[in-house]
Amino acid sequence: MIITKSSAEIAIMRIAGSIVAAVLEELRKMIHPGVTTAELDAKAEQLTKKYHAIPAFKGYNGFPASLCASVNEEVVHGIPGNRTLKKGDIVGLDFGVVYKDFYADSAITVPVGEVTPEVQKLLKVTEESLYRGIAQARPGNRLYDISHAIQTMVESNGFSVVRDFVGHGIGRRMHESPQIPNFVGNDFNPKLRKGMTLAIEPMVNIGTYEVDVDLYDHWTVRTKDGKYSAHFEHTVAVTDDEPEILTLLRPELLPED
Ligand code: MG
Ligand code: MG
């Protein structure tokens, strides 16, 4: 069952989303050669506390950190640690909070210094595919309109969309119905309605869409061929007309510290 939210509930999610955006913006500024992913995680946790929110991922199914930091061929769910970022890397930062019992979830992928033209294109296409997907999140459309827009953008640029991980409904739980694949092919294709809140998140690979989960940490997802992967995500509300991105930075909404 898809849980639609009232405007009062969406107002809380807008604050949660603003906190997520503020944290990601601070982390983006820290991305330089030499920074470790553990330092990014510590900053995320510190800022979340400052905004009176709770990190959504820490302890979720046993995940050990507040931030997912996925470098280069890592697709999602990278565990922060003492890995030092170097020039030419890309790092996916996936972050979520709980604020007054509501979740918000967003991700960006950031280049570390200069990256190759192919990797620049990967970042650009993945982010653009997110916005193409978001544009379809309107009443009367169906879920697959989102999936189709993302898949078309990605594949027409010669990249592939990950199959094994997908976007999701979000609200009082981080993962609610429906699953939002970045490709057409599941069989649940509901009509979109006002009040649905959706975490749309294309995961895009340069090479094969196939991925493996790390055998030892049971979290880190990597491309099977070792080629780079990018990830962008927003939490979005379906409204009467234009979709509203809830994970945008609205400084006036940030809780006082
Ligand atoms: Mg996320
Ligand atoms: Mg998500």
Side-chain angles (χ1 to χ4, degrees), residues 128-173:
E128 176 64 23
S129 77
L130 169 61
Y131 289 103
R132 300 267 180 110
I134 290 171
Q136 297 299 321
R138 32 174 77 251
N141 275 2
R142 287 186 180 269
L143 187 69
Y144 279 179
D145 293 310
I146 298 173
S147 311
H148 181 259
I150 292 169
Q151 182 174 24
T152 301
M153 172 76 192
V154 169
E155 293 181 351
S156 68
N157 278 281
F159 298 137
S160 66
V161 291
V162 170
R163 265 51 170 181
D164 292 359
F165 296 87
V166 296
H168 49 95
I170 182 168
R172 286 182 192 271
R173 296 174 59 180

Side-chain angles (χ1 to χ4, degrees), residues 53-214:
I54 300 165
F57 303 166
K58 199 167 194 175
Y60 188 88
N61 292 332
F63 190 77
S66 297
L67 176 74
C68 292
S70 306
V71 183
N72 299 344
E73 78 285 1
E74 297 173 356
V75 179
V76 285
H77 304 165
I79 299 174
N82 53 18
R83 181 173 187 163
T84 299
L85 297 180
K86 56 184 204 318
K87 186 168 162 267
D89 286 345
I90 56 172
V91 58
L93 305 172
D94 189 356
F95 185 66
V97 303
V98 194
Y99 180 77
K100 295 191 174 169
D101 297 329
F102 282 90
Y103 284 80
D105 186 8
S106 182
I108 55 176
T109 301
V110 185
V112 185
E114 201 179 317
V115 297
T116 66
E118 184 182 50
V119 172
Q120 286 175 31
K121 182 181 168 193
L122 173 71
L123 298 181
K124 206 170 151 233
V125 166
T126 307
E127 186 169 20
E128 176 64 23
S129 77
L130 169 61
Y131 289 103
R132 300 267 180 110
I134 290 171
Q136 297 299 321
R138 32 174 77 251
N141 275 2
R142 287 186 180 269
L143 187 69
Y144 279 179
D145 293 310
I146 298 173
S147 311
H148 181 259
I150 292 169
Q151 182 174 24
T152 301
M153 172 76 192
V154 169
E155 293 181 351
S156 68
N157 278 281
F159 298 137
S160 66
V161 291
V162 170
R163 265 51 170 181
D164 292 359
F165 296 87
V166 296
H168 49 95
I170 182 168
R172 286 182 192 271
R173 296 174 59 180
M174 185 152 69
H175 296 120
E176 295 183 349
S177 179
Q179 292 200 338
I180 308 171
N182 298 304
F183 56 95
V184 174
N186 260 3
D187 42 29
F188 186 49
N189 187 19
K191 258 195 179 148
L192 302 178
R193 299 195 312 276
K194 181 186 177 182
M196 287 183 178
T197 44
L198 309 172
I200 302 173
E201 51 178 319
M203 288 152 260
V204 175
N205 297 350
I206 286 181
T208 179
Y209 64 78
E210 290 186 287
V211 298
D212 285 317
V213 178
D214 189 285

